[in-house]
Amino acid sequence: LTYMLIANFTLFSMITGLMADKMKAAKKNQEEAQQADAKQRYENIMGHLKEIFIQGDTSGDKGLDYDEFRTILLKDGVLADLEGCGVPVAENELKSLFECLDMDMDENLTWEEFANGLFQITNSVASKDIMWLEGSVLKLDKSLKKAGVDEPRFDIKLDRLHSRASLIQQRVLQMEHEMSEI
């Protein structure tokens, strides 16, 4: 009887282990499939956005000014495409988004700036990234003042960068606080 109990227990343990392994493998396969699906959706959306971007370049300079940018984003479904990429944006946030994506601040958004900016926005931001940005802005401000550059346009742009970094830092801290309460 003892032998039968031990044999049954061993057999039951082996079956349970096999089932657990199968379930773990199935979950891994499902996660990989979901990631591949999300990647394919992202690539499809980005392809669609690139077509719209090219069509929206009415001036032919391979970039979009704010008016062109606003026009393409307000076309049917484009804001939904952005949301599908993980960038929900409201109509009243378009100017801010344009300024955020226009990395060289020349008021002409290239496809590379647009695509790279969307990619960066969809990646999670850590507090250290915000601190790095804030430090970079402060160092740049200090370097310009040390070099004797005192142009109002630089001050305005640095103030804008500084305020954005501070706003982002506040948002990240708020999200971290909300996540800790869950």
Side-chain angles (χ1 to χ4, degrees):
L1 182 67
T2 306
Y3 175 75
M4 294 277 289
L5 285 174
I6 292 174
N8 283 336
F9 179 74
T10 303
L11 186 58
F12 183 71
S13 295
M14 288 174 56
I15 291 172
T16 303
L18 287 172
M19 287 176 49
D21 287 345
K22 290 281 187 185
M23 289 172 51
K24 187 176 178 181
K27 183 176 181 176
K28 183 179 178 186
N29 289 341
Q30 183 183 17
E31 288 173 353
E32 288 173 354
Q34 287 174 341
Q35 288 175 347
D37 231 18
K39 182 180 179 185
Q40 185 63 46
R41 261 193 333 271
Y42 180 80
E43 288 174 0
N44 289 343
I45 290 171
M46 290 305 290
H48 181 242
L49 287 174
K50 185 170 186 174
E51 289 174 18
I52 291 171
F53 187 95
I54 292 168
Q55 292 170 2
D57 179 18
T58 56
S59 62
D61 61 355
K62 300 199 187 291
L64 302 177
D65 61 25
Y66 175 69
D67 291 330
E68 292 170 325
F69 176 77
R70 182 172 168 42
T71 300
I72 68 163
L73 290 186
L74 293 178
K75 286 185 177 182
D76 287 342
V78 176
L79 289 178
D81 282 348
L82 285 178
E83 191 167 340
C85 285
V87 184
V89 62
E91 188 175 338
N92 65 345
E93 298 173 320
L94 294 180
K95 182 71 172 172
S96 178
L97 179 62
F98 180 84
E99 291 172 351
C100 178
L101 296 173
D102 184 20
M103 295 302 291
D104 59 7
M105 295 186 225
D106 65 351
E107 297 182 14
N108 186 43
L109 188 64
T110 64
W111 169 250
E112 289 75 23
E113 287 175 318
F114 184 73
N116 291 336
L118 289 181
F119 180 76
Q120 291 296 323
I121 290 171
T122 59
N123 286 326
S124 59
V125 177
S127 295
K128 67 178 180 170
D129 297 324
I130 304 303
M131 294 305 294
W132 177 85
L133 176 63
E134 180 75 15
S136 297
V137 170
L138 292 174
K139 286 176 188 173
L140 179 60
D141 188 30
K142 190 175 183 178
S143 296
L144 287 172
K145 287 179 181 173
K146 192 175 189 180
V149 177
D150 192 25
E151 288 191 38
R153 67 185 179 120
F154 288 132
D155 286 339
I156 292 169
K157 288 182 179 183
L158 282 173
D159 287 345
R160 189 172 77 182
L161 283 172
H162 181 67
S163 65
R164 280 190 188 157
S166 296
L167 180 62
I168 292 169
Q169 185 175 20
Q170 290 172 359
R171 287 181 181 170
V172 167
L173 290 173
Q174 180 183 0
M175 289 188 311
E176 287 174 348
H177 176 71
E178 289 171 0
M179 292 299 291
S180 69
E181 291 179 350
I182 294 177

